[in-house]
Amino acid sequence: MDKKYSNGEQLSPTDFLAKKYFDQAEKYFTGDGVPVDFTKAASGYAQSAKLGYAPAIFSLGVCYIRGVGVEHDEKRAYDLINQAAEMGNLDAQFTLGHFYFEGSVVERDYDKAAKIFQAAADKNHPGGLNDLGFCYQRGLGVELDLEKAFDCFMRAAQAEFAAAQNNVGDCYNFGRGVQPDGEKAYLYYYRAAQNGYSVAQNNVGMCYLNGRGVKKDFEQAVHWFEEAAKLGNPVAVANLGFCYETGRGVEKNAERAVKLYTIAADADSAPGQFNLAKCLRDGNGAKADPERAFSLFKRAADQQFPIAYAELAACYEKGIGTKPDAELAAKYAQLAASSGLSSSNSDVPSDGNSASDNK
């Protein structure tokens, strides 16, 4: 046979057949020359996995994680990925770290997760480098070290790993482990956005909206929010709503803004919840509904969205949508003050970093 492994060794008949099943499954998974069909992809991975092909065992595990082509089953996913990891599959070894990081199926263990990410990073696995950087950035399983975090993100970014490119952008944007530099932040966000990473597309939109590292351009901001929204990014949907509410880059349309905020809020986006709450409190773009507004402010505050604290304090103080409660008003006012916010801010588009981590 003329098919060979990358190291030059000739494939056995069994391995040749396993790889044939795997390659066909990959085509169905990615839509390479055939229509995307996750069921056929999972079936092909399963056929290849039965023949002991580690990449197929890993890919079948990913299908079970995502619930594509098969029913979602994290226990089955863990067993398959652990099997592939024991066979030396680097992607599986890296993914195994996520089970320990998230505490799904196995008990959460940041130390073990960080060691797994370190092992993958030592082999220059971009995902391992990126997640090790996240551990260093938060001090999870390793000692907090922002400079090491930045180094890990940068190494992964140089391998065109989109999430890491976005994280390098964050480091330059917020001065984490490196001197702040708006232009470099924009550059790395843009590179990640070009690679189809929705978080970065939203961040590019934020750069254009605020003139951060690039000339302010509301129409470009709308474009990038729309691109991220197409990929289902709820923060971008909320930011697009903000553009419609304020007339930035599009014709002002409060009703359209409310619809977008509702989509984002239903997807558990704190910016969406917050902005929808303000509209419902004020009767802007929808009939006033103080009770629902209060509930949404509370949901955003429960996600530790800082600007929601001041509004929630006002609700408790004035009895907006809830019974007055001086003690809770004081509590949320203190939280707002601790966050550097003593009053509400009407300009509340978000880069997503307040509501979620870009890991």
Side-chain angles (χ1 to χ4, degrees), residues 191-337:
R191 286 174 60 184
Q194 290 289 83
N195 283 326
Y197 193 57
S198 71
V199 175
Q201 290 172 341
N202 178 71
N203 285 337
V204 170
M206 290 296 297
C207 288
Y208 279 113
L209 189 70
N210 297 318
R212 183 188 306 164
V214 68
K215 186 178 179 180
K216 189 176 290 189
D217 187 326
F218 294 148
E219 290 185 2
Q220 276 295 307
V222 168
H223 166 74
W224 285 104
F225 292 149
E226 287 178 337
E227 290 299 298
K230 289 175 187 175
L231 295 176
N233 187 297
V235 176
V237 174
N239 288 339
L240 188 57
F242 173 81
C243 291
Y244 276 101
E245 183 184 0
T246 59
R248 285 175 165 89
V250 289
E251 187 175 347
K252 196 171 184 179
N253 188 329
E255 290 76 15
R256 174 66 174 155
V258 166
K259 288 180 181 178
L260 290 165
Y261 290 152
T262 300
I263 292 170
D266 288 345
D268 214 26
S269 160
Q273 292 162 354
F274 179 85
N275 288 335
L276 179 59
K278 292 189 73 175
C279 288
L280 293 174
R281 181 198 62 192
D282 301 335
N284 181 25
K287 184 179 179 180
D289 188 339
E291 288 77 16
R292 190 177 172 211
F294 167 79
S295 176
L296 287 162
F297 281 138
K298 183 67 164 58
R299 286 171 61 189
D302 287 345
Q303 292 196 63
Q304 299 180 341
F305 194 62
I307 56 178
Y309 296 144
E311 296 291 359
L312 200 55
C315 287
Y316 280 120
E317 180 184 354
K318 301 173 183 177
I320 300 172
T322 187
K323 292 182 179 179
D325 189 317
E327 185 175 341
L328 286 173
K331 170 188 172 182
Y332 283 102
Q334 179 58 46
L335 285 171

Side-chain angles (χ1 to χ4, degrees), residues 3 11 23 42 47 76 125 138 181 221 223 259 286 317 324:
K3 292 246 182 183
L11 291 172
D23 289 344
Q47 287 178 296
R76 177 68 174 143
H125 187 284
R138 301 304 170 91
D181 188 320
H223 166 74
K259 288 180 181 178
E317 180 184 354

Side-chain angles (χ1 to χ4, degrees), residues 12-36:
S12 70
T14 299
D15 289 337
F16 176 79
L17 184 59
K19 190 172 186 305
K20 182 178 179 180
Y21 286 138
F22 175 79
D23 289 344
Q24 187 61 41
E26 288 281 89
K27 290 180 184 294
Y28 281 117
F29 195 91
T30 62
D32 181 11
V34 296
V36 171

